[in-house]
Amino acid sequence: MTNKDLHNILYAEDEADIRAIAQIALEDIGGFSVQYCNTGKEVLEALKHALPDIILLDVMMPEMDGITTLQEIRKVPEFVHIPAIFMTAKIQPAEVAEYKKMGVIDVINKPFDPMSLAEQIKNSWNKFYE
Amino acid sequence: MMPKKRIVSIMKIFLQRQFINTMLLIALILLSFTGYLTYQHIQNLLIANNWILHTYKVIGSADQIQIGMLDAETQLNNYLFTNDNSLAESSLSNLNVIEPNVLILRDLTIDNPEQTHSVDQLSKLIQKKISIFHNIIGRYSKSNPLPPAIIEERLKLKYQIENIISKLKYNELILLEKRNSNFNILAKQTNTILFLAALLTETIFILSIVLLNYYLQQRILAEKKQNASEAYKTAILNAVSDAIITIDTQGVIQSYNSQTIQMFGYNNAGLNHMNINKLIADIDDKTIFTIRELAKECIGKRNNGTTFPTEISTSKMAYSDADEQIYVIVIRDITERKKVDVMKNEFVSVISHELRTPLTSIRGSLGLLLGGTVGTFSDKAAKLLDIAKNNCERLLLLINDILDIEKIESGKMHFNYNNINVRKLVDEAIAINKMSEQKFGITIKVNESIDDISIKVDHERMLQVLSHLISNAAKFSHSGGQVTLDITKKNGIARISVTDNGPGIPIEFRSHIFNKFSQADSSDTRNKSGTGLGLSISKAIIEQFGGHFNYSSIENKQTTFYIELPIWNDGAMQLPDNTLHTNQGSNTNRLLICEDDEDQAKYLSTILQSTDYQIDIAHTIEAARNFITNNHYNLLVLDLLLPDQDGVAFIKELRANEKTRDTPIIVISIIAETGRSLLGSDAFSVLSWLEKPVDLSKLLNVITSIKQSTAKKMPHILQIEDDLDTQNLIATLLEEQAVITSVTTLEETRNILKREHFDLVILDLLLPDGNGAQLLPDLANYKLPIIVYSTLKLEDSYSNYVTNKFVKSKTSKDQLVKAIMTVLNH
């Protein structure tokens, strides 16, 4: 794998407030270019138009939760290779381990620290591409 | 009219099989006899009839003779008149014919002498006649008429013959009369007998019909009752909401209730002869027969292929009529229960999520604001933002704590156990709290340490606890103070303590320090951060690890919180130095551990090695049985969930067995409480029910008390002593060798002597209500050995009453104990 630079992020989160915070954290502090989706469906739609470098998925979303969305993404051959990170309020190590098994490169806990969110993502990215 | 009950009871007698058979036999005999009688009578009738016919024959014969004679006479007369020779011949031939008739007559009357005589006479006369006739025919004719002498003779003969014949006939007629009446009588008798026979037969017949009807009626009633009772029982089985199925030893379904059909979606006949493993997905053939008492969760399979969660329990059916052993399986559909469980879990998750979501936004916003990414603030504004952020953090911690507590209390906290070096944990915990040093102006350091011991704990949770203790210590230290951590070990137990030099824990608070949401200071002006749940959670976690969590505190000086956990080195528990050696000596006490998990078994075995028992380990109940058959055990340590059979049933088995009826049993199991309630009224037969993971100190305590109670019964000592220090001294000295009751006055002594039995008295002389010596006579009455232990010296005159006397200041503890034991052992 070539060590790419992380530029584009696709972010799925149903809570508007959290999106607003994440926007500042990712765009202002992290300098990334971020596309925002409300639901899992929107993620699948968005992917058809443009492929991001990394996908951030909130786990608890209505209709299609983060896990199902990821499964749907992985079904499509073009999208299979895109790394993904779960964002979740569940912090039990057992559950976190479960999530990791599903093929995400990291699990970020909510509430997240907006000051260090970008850094966290970058670190995971770098680790993945080592 | 007889009352109904009597009729019924009489009928009951009549319905007895033996009675009926006997009666029928008698009836048969009677009928046979009657038949015989009838036969006889008819025979007689026939004979009588024959005699009557006989009479007629005789008369007939006589008549024949008479007619013959007349004919012969007439013929002769005619001959004499006509000289027709043919007439003479026919006359003669008539006469000749008479002869045989006479013979016949003779035959017929052979039984009657009188008649025979007459016949003889007749015969002679007829012979005479015949000769006369011959004479006449030869000599005389129409032209030569008969001489009067011959005519006269002929006439005379004729009259004689006729007389005889009349006489014969007359006699026969008399006989005939007799015989007729005889016949009539016989006929009447026969009639009577026939009538009686018919009557008898009909009576028997009627009785039989009545009895038979009654019997049939009773049968019908009984059947109805039986049907009703069966219907009742079937109704019960069908009303039950669980599926109840009986199977044979091959698992083939023998019977089932209506709920089974509904639950599994089969039609009525579809379940017959099916094997039960078609209904249950994940159970192998053997296991179904071994689930007993404790229900097991399995997956049920419906007819249409869908599955659902079930709880299954099996029992043996005690039914002596069955050819082979039948098992009863009860299956409960626990879909709803599972749903509720899932809902509960989801509830916690949802709460967790719902609370954290807005918190994320708040915290995030505050973080960004304070991080300066969107501009700077005035000092005041910054301060307010700071306050907001801190409280946000606090809220978050609170949520976490609440969720932790909820998990712990519902038993859903999951631990990953690992062997972890204690020093490493401590260093980590300190590192996490490094910031507190600056924040509170204190230093955190490790004082005493043993670096090579490990404990078996969940890493994260242990850190959580240590961290909490350190942060508490830091919080409650005065500025410039020091938080000290010590790692020590004793008897195989590792002890981690966190000490601070703060204000200590106020006395009023000590009793509820571990309660939820209790925080000591209401008046303290210090920053009261913390959720109030920390100690509660920490204690719960350490106890789950099988350890001890407690504190000691001196007000205004220091507080030490300590954690005690068993040492695990290289995956095995370390042997503690012996605390439980008793002088029970060479009697090998044997202990059997029945536990299928090898690690657990080793763990238990290692702990218990300090207790002087020789230990055997069995991994299945079958193996345990073998051990028990071959050895005698003083103690059994039993898990309840074992692979081949359930522990509760095994306990019942043990108690039913002579050999193990009184053996103390300790249960260590995750389902100890459930097991206890299943044993129900037999629960007392188990000494102690311990939940896994096992609390070591509890276990060791139980074993100690077992040993103590199996040791010789301890002597009961009465200590008459008002000085508390002396009381404590004696108590400590004799701790494991005697039971001590203490009284402080003469009066108390007198009272207690009346109520209880003692083996020895230790007497002080200086008592609040008088000199102890006053008791000596009383004590002598009870024939108790007395040791005087007092500051005063006992007067010599009293010495005789006393086994031994010691002056407190001059006697060493050893001397005292030795003396006491010597007295006791006599």
Side-chain angles (χ1 to χ4, degrees), chain B residues 132-353:
Chain B
I132 286 178
F133 267 45
H134 275 295
N135 271 350
I136 289 177
I137 290 170
R139 249 193 241 163
Y140 301 99
S141 61
K142 190 175 174 191
S143 46
N144 189 9
L146 289 167
I150 292 181
I151 292 173
E152 200 182 315
E153 201 182 336
R154 215 177 129 203
L155 211 59
K156 189 179 162 193
L157 202 59
K158 182 176 166 197
Y159 285 139
Q160 276 180 322
I161 288 178
E162 279 195 6
N163 274 345
I164 295 238
I165 290 181
S166 293
K167 192 172 160 199
L168 271 170
K169 278 167 69 171
Y170 179 73
N171 282 336
E172 282 300 304
L173 280 174
I174 292 177
L175 276 179
L176 181 66
E177 179 87 32
K178 265 198 223 158
R179 285 173 187 172
N180 262 334
S181 66
N182 190 32
F183 184 82
N184 280 337
I185 292 170
L186 272 179
K188 272 207 185 127
Q189 278 182 345
T190 309
N191 239 4
T192 314
I193 289 186
L194 279 175
F195 175 72
L196 286 176
L199 200 63
L200 183 66
T201 313
E202 273 173 37
T203 313
I204 292 173
F205 202 66
I206 289 174
L207 273 179
S208 301
I209 290 181
V210 167
L211 278 181
L212 195 66
N213 267 311
Y214 185 74
Y215 171 69
L216 284 175
Q217 190 187 46
Q218 292 306 306
R219 278 288 304 278
I220 290 175
L221 274 177
E223 244 181 74
K224 261 199 196 155
K225 240 189 183 171
Q226 172 80 344
N227 285 342
S229 145
E230 265 182 45
Y232 183 73
K233 289 199 183 114
T234 312
I236 294 177
L237 280 179
N238 287 334
V240 166
S241 56
D242 299 333
I244 301 180
I245 305 176
T246 53
I247 56 171
D248 64 10
T249 49
Q250 303 304 313
V252 176
I253 294 178
Q254 305 294 303
S255 71
Y256 48 92
N257 67 347
S258 58
Q259 188 60 240
T260 311
I261 302 172
Q262 280 195 329
M263 195 185 279
F264 290 93
Y266 285 86
N267 62 35
N268 214 347
L271 283 169
N272 284 324
H273 306 304
M274 196 163 77
N275 195 300
I276 195 155
N277 56 24
K278 268 218 165 153
L279 296 178
I280 306 166
D282 54 349
I283 207 165
D284 70 56
D285 290 329
K286 280 228 182 97
T287 320
I288 189 104
F289 296 107
T290 58
I291 310 170
R292 304 236 209 109
E293 310 283 357
L294 305 169
K296 184 170 151 83
E297 283 192 20
C298 302
I299 310 282
K301 282 191 290 193
R302 292 200 191 91
N303 195 3
N304 60 13
T306 56
T307 59
F308 61 103
T310 63
E311 198 177 68
I312 300 184
S313 61
T314 313
S315 356
K316 266 191 188 167
M317 191 159 94
Y319 183 52
S320 49
D321 270 13
D323 292 326
E324 57 166 296
Q325 180 64 53
I326 302 284
Y327 291 83
V328 179
I329 317 274
V330 176
I331 304 180
R332 175 165 292 183
D333 184 340
I334 53 174
T335 317
E336 283 310 309
R337 190 206 295 175
K338 285 279 184 193
K339 271 195 206 156
V340 169
D341 276 348
V342 165
M343 265 172 23
K344 269 203 246 167
N345 281 339
E346 281 179 0
F347 183 63
V348 172
S349 285
V350 163
I351 291 240
S352 161
H353 179 258

Side-chain angles (χ1 to χ4, degrees), chain B residues 638-688:
Chain B
L638 199 51
D639 183 15
L640 291 180
L641 291 173
L642 289 147
D644 60 337
Q645 198 192 319
D646 86 75
V648 175
F650 185 51
I651 292 174
K652 285 193 183 167
E653 195 184 300
L654 289 170
R655 287 305 179 221
N657 182 351
E658 274 275 2
K659 195 173 181 186
T660 50
R661 192 182 321 164
D662 295 317
T663 313
I665 298 179
I666 299 178
V667 165
I668 300 181
S669 173
I670 345 178
I671 50 155
E673 277 313 304
T674 316
R676 181 190 217 148
S677 55
L678 277 171
L679 259 192
S681 54
D682 288 327
F684 65 86
S685 68
V686 168
L687 208 61
S688 187

Side-chain angles (χ1 to χ4, degrees), chain B residues 26 77 127 176 205 349 422 437 492 499 812-813:
Chain B
I26 293 177
N77 285 342
Q127 293 293 18
L176 181 66
F205 202 66
S349 285
V422 176
E437 284 189 322
T499 312
S812 75
K813 295 184 226 153

Side-chain angles (χ1 to χ4, degrees), chain A residues 13-25 28-29 58-61 88-95 109-115, chain B residues 349-350 352-353 356-374 389 396 400 404 407 412-414 416 460-461:
Chain A
E13 167 62 63
D14 58 314
E15 281 273 338
D17 287 344
I18 298 181
R19 275 205 309 271
I21 294 174
Q23 184 169 18
I24 301 183
D28 296 343
I29 302 181
D58 179 30
V59 171
M60 295 282 257
M61 288 192 286
T88 175
K90 295 209 178 133
I91 55 164
Q92 273 262 355
E95 285 159 326
N109 284 327
K110 287 206 289 192
F112 56 83
D113 177 11
M115 301 303 290
Chain B
S349 285
V350 163
S352 161
H353 179 258
R356 275 192 236 265
T357 303
L359 216 50
T360 308
S361 303
I362 298 173
R363 194 175 183 248
S365 305
L366 291 171
L368 286 172
L369 285 168
L370 285 165
T373 32
V374 292
K389 177 136 204 270
L396 196 55
N400 287 340
D404 273 357
K407 273 189 222 130
K412 291 207 165 77
M413 187 174 268
H414 176 74
N416 273 329
E460 193 192 317
R461 296 292 174 185

